[in-house]
């Protein structure tokens, strides 16, 4: 009997799951002063976060600040499981939700570089069910369903201008009847492509290119990756991103052997934490360990650690390289980090645009919070956030597990506490000649 040939990507993925614990992280941890950060001043961040834990505003957090490709600050504060008394650790695993989107966006750019797609392609080229999209236009009596004014492109999906929301818009009743609402997919007992095909028949919130509408765009792009490559999204990301970037603790569904490292989700309705339900909703512990393990959500499905995610965004800060290995071209990273909205207004923050997978800072004064022009980043539904500041050669990853996160202002304090710790002087040559 002839032996069955095992696909190469399956062998790679199996190696990753079985032996990834032997792979070493290579971002070096140094004294903060080495990279122009004051140890004394950055300790203020530690004390403030400890106060949030003591006041039961958050259960705990892991924060990683890297500068010049080196880890200047990595602190695990509080508990990953309050009830069991398990402390946060540097390698605690978190649900990163919409921070998944940036990885899928990079995957799409990789495929464009290989000539397997282009951003101007219509979505219908890959998923024919989207050939005749519709839009729900509000009327005095409800809404009318009309044909979309043009076809959705991959670039529309990357920039959230396709008009597709999370099912809570004008035609909310139809999306609810189809059981497609919200960003949570881990409970679904079907491949994500099957859900998305059903999504194609539902009315969208806006015409393509008309408005910024946050929704299922990146989940759809994840399905496109599966169609183009013939791999599951998990296998593609593992082979092309996780392994090269040494992201050994990043998964859609956690191996049982690592389940004790997964942080517990808490809720904050009145400003004090309460343990979230075990399963069944977006605001629960989720089905990331014992669920069906069938639906790979490119929009919000990944679990990761502060170190793993820092490796990923360090690659972007390095214009596509990590530890001497190029994953993406410099020009692809440049176009990803530009504002693509044109005349469309970003709805949630002044002075902010949106690139191909994350927000961009266009006017620092209009935004009104500390940072730099050219900074890019995003966050996740479980109260996680990250940003990349090329001007300051800085990356920040802040991970906690809080949904909903009401009456807590840790995110607002995070930036001032980090930027006040910068303690280096500008190089006159670079300031004069490079306009920094």
């Amino acid at each position: 009997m002839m032996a069955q040939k095992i696909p190469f990507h399956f062998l790679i993925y199996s190696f990753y799951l079985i032996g990834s614990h032997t792979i070493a992280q290579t971002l070096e941890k140094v004294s903060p002063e080495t990279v122009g950060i004051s140890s004394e001043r950055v300790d203020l961040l530690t004390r403030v976060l400890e106060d949030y834990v003591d006041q039961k505003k958050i259960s705990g957090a892991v924060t990683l600040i890297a500068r010049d490709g080196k880890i200047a600050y990595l602190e695990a504060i509080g508990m990953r499981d309050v009830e069991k008394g398990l402390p946060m650790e540097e390698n605690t695993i978190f649900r990163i939700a919409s921070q998944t989107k940036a990885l899928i966006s990079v995957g799409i750019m990789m495929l464009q570089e290989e000539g397997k797609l282009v951003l101007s392609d219509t979505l219908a080229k890959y998923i024919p069910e989207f050939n005749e999209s519709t839009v729900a236009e509000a009327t005095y009596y409800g809404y009318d369903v009309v044909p979309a004014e043009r076809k959705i492109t991959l670039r529309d999906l990357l920039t959230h201008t396709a008009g597709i929301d999370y099912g809570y818009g004008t035609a909310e009743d139809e999306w609810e009847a189809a059981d497609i609402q919200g960003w949570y997919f881990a409970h679904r007992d079907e491949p994500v492509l099957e859900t998305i095909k059903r999504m194609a028949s539902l009315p969208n919130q806006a015409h393509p290119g008309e408005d910024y509408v946050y929704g299922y765009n990146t989940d759809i792009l994840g399905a496109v990756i599966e169609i183009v490559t013939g791999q599951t999204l998990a296998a593609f990301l593992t082979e092309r991103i996780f392994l090269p970037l040494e992201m050994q603790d990043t998964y859609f569904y956690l191996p049982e052997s690592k389940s004790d490292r997964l942080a517990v989700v808490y809720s904050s309705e009145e400003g004090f934490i309460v343990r979230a339900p075990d399963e069944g909703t977006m605001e629960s512990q989720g089905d990331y360990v014992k669920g069906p393990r069938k639906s790979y959500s490119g929009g919000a499905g990944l679990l990761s650690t502060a170190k793993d995610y820092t490796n990923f965004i360090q690659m972007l800060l390095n214009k596509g390289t990590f530890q001497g290995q190029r994953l993406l071209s410099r020009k692809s990273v440049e176009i990803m980090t530009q504002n693509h909205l044109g005349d469309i207004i970003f709805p949630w923050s002044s002075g902010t645009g949106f690139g191909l997978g994350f927000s961009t800072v266009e006017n620092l004064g209009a935004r009104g919070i500390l940072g730099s022009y050219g900074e890019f980043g995003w966050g996740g539904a479980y109260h996680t956030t990250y940003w990349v500041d090329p001007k300051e050669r800085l990356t920040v990853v802040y991970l906690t597990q809080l949904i909903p996160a009401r009456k807590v202002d840790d995110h607002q304090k995070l930036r001032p506490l980090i930027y006040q710790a910068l303690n280096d002087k500008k190089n006159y040559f670079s300031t004069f000649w490079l306009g920094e």
Side-chain angles (χ1 to χ4, degrees), residues 230-242:
Q231 298 177 268
T232 66
L233 188 58
F236 172 83
L237 291 178
T238 299
E239 180 182 329
R240 300 299 304 278
I241 298 178
F242 299 163

Side-chain angles (χ1 to χ4, degrees), residues 87-387:
M88 282 288 184
E89 297 176 331
E90 292 179 1
N91 68 349
T92 293
I93 297 170
F94 296 82
R95 304 154 191 81
I96 61 170
S98 287
Q99 291 185 209
T100 306
K101 290 177 168 68
L103 289 113
I104 304 307
S105 301
V106 165
I108 290 289
M109 299 305 288
M110 286 177 164
L111 295 177
Q112 177 171 255
E113 290 187 348
E114 295 166 7
K116 294 178 179 176
L117 54 78
V118 292
L119 302 191
S120 58
D121 283 343
T122 65
L123 173 58
K125 179 178 178 179
Y126 304 98
I127 308 177
E129 285 81 356
F130 283 91
N131 194 49
E132 296 182 359
S133 296
T134 60
V135 175
E137 293 186 343
T139 67
Y140 181 80
Y141 297 102
Y143 63 88
D144 293 332
V145 177
V146 302
E149 293 176 355
R150 66 165 173 82
K151 295 185 187 300
I152 296 167
T153 68
L154 301 186
R155 183 168 176 248
D156 292 330
L157 294 168
L158 284 164
T159 57
H160 292 277
T161 58
I164 301 171
D165 70 346
Y166 275 126
Y168 297 110
T170 304
E172 178 179 6
D173 58 330
E174 295 190 41
W175 287 79
E176 182 179 13
D179 189 29
I180 305 176
Q181 286 182 315
W183 49 266
Y184 180 62
F185 277 77
H187 66 298
R188 293 191 178 277
D189 196 15
E190 66 178 358
V192 69
L193 178 59
E194 297 308 309
T195 310
I196 286 167
K197 285 179 178 178
R198 292 189 287 113
M199 194 183 293
S201 65
L202 300 171
N204 295 324
Q205 181 65 15
H207 292 277
E210 177 182 81
D211 205 354
Y212 180 93
V213 180
Y214 195 58
Y216 290 116
N217 302 273
T218 319
D219 291 294
I220 297 169
L221 288 170
V224 169
I225 288 175
E226 292 192 335
I227 291 165
V228 170
T229 65
Q231 298 177 268
T232 66
L233 188 58
F236 172 83
L237 291 178
T238 299
E239 180 182 329
R240 300 299 304 278
I241 298 178
F242 299 163
L243 281 172
L245 293 181
E246 302 175 9
M247 299 172 69
Q248 73 261 36
D249 288 322
T250 302
Y251 305 88
F252 284 102
Y253 298 100
L254 203 58
E256 287 278 358
S257 61
K258 297 186 179 183
S259 61
D260 65 329
R261 289 168 50 197
L262 183 62
V264 169
V265 179
Y266 292 87
S267 300
S268 176
E269 292 284 357
E270 298 298 329
F272 301 98
I273 58 169
V274 177
R275 189 184 182 100
D278 284 339
E279 58 187 25
T281 70
M282 292 184 292
E283 297 177 357
S284 70
Q285 304 302 324
D287 295 274
Y288 299 104
V289 177
K290 297 182 179 179
R293 295 176 176 256
K294 287 186 180 180
S295 188
Y296 301 120
S297 166
L302 284 175
L303 316 171
S304 193
T305 65
K307 283 186 176 180
D308 275 16
Y309 207 82
T310 294
N311 286 2
F312 171 66
I313 59 177
Q314 183 67 44
M315 179 272 294
L316 293 173
L317 180 59
N318 294 346
K319 297 293 181 71
T321 65
F322 182 79
Q323 305 300 336
Q325 181 177 190
R326 182 166 293 282
L327 277 74
L328 204 58
S329 73
R330 172 174 57 86
K331 300 305 291 184
S332 286
V333 177
E334 286 177 6
I335 196 67
M336 290 182 76
T337 54
Q338 299 298 307
N339 178 26
H340 286 249
L341 294 186
D343 294 332
I344 295 172
I345 302 298
F346 183 76
W348 300 326
S349 175
S350 299
T352 303
F354 202 86
L356 304 180
F358 21 66
S359 62
T360 61
V361 177
E362 304 302 310
N363 186 318
L364 196 60
R367 191 179 66 156
I369 59 175
L370 274 66
S372 300
Y373 170 76
E375 173 195 314
F376 57 95
W378 202 239
Y382 294 99
H383 203 54
T384 65
T385 191
Y386 75 93
W387 72 88

